[in-house]
Amino acid sequence: MVPGLFDVRHHFEIDLLGDDRSRPRQFEHCSGVLVPCMRGALRDTQAAFELANKAIKQRAESLPEDRGNNIADGVQ
């Protein structure tokens, strides 16, 4: 792609809330001369992010309580 036409920067943050709770957040910043032409696609992308966030939440809440296992490393 050509820089400056349609640039997207996407990143995630995890807020630690205490009591074994956290909140994942994701951000996207779009810039470039084609952004006005991409409004519809960006709305679709926002809807997809919201669905992904709901799926992540459901999956995280369905996991069993941590019993000292390190699921991230594949050790159960």
Side-chain angles (χ1 to χ4, degrees):
M1 301 261 340
V2 178
L5 287 181
F6 185 72
D7 300 318
V8 179
R9 188 178 50 188
H10 192 101
H11 72 274
F12 293 89
E13 293 180 6
I14 299 175
D15 297 328
L16 300 178
L17 304 176
D19 297 328
D20 295 325
R21 297 179 61 228
S22 61
R23 177 188 313 125
R25 297 185 299 148
Q26 56 180 318
F27 303 89
E28 189 169 65
H29 175 76
C30 302
S31 61
V33 296
L34 294 180
V35 168
C37 302
M38 303 295 289
R39 296 281 181 216
L42 293 174
R43 277 191 295 276
D44 293 344
T45 301
Q46 178 64 32
F49 286 153
E50 290 171 10
L51 286 173
N53 290 341
K54 286 180 184 178
I56 291 168
K57 182 179 188 296
Q58 289 174 345
R59 174 69 173 129
E61 290 175 347
S62 73
L63 293 174
E65 290 290 324
D66 182 9
R67 296 184 198 111
N69 297 330
N70 192 342
I71 295 173
D73 288 334
V75 178
Q76 297 184 10

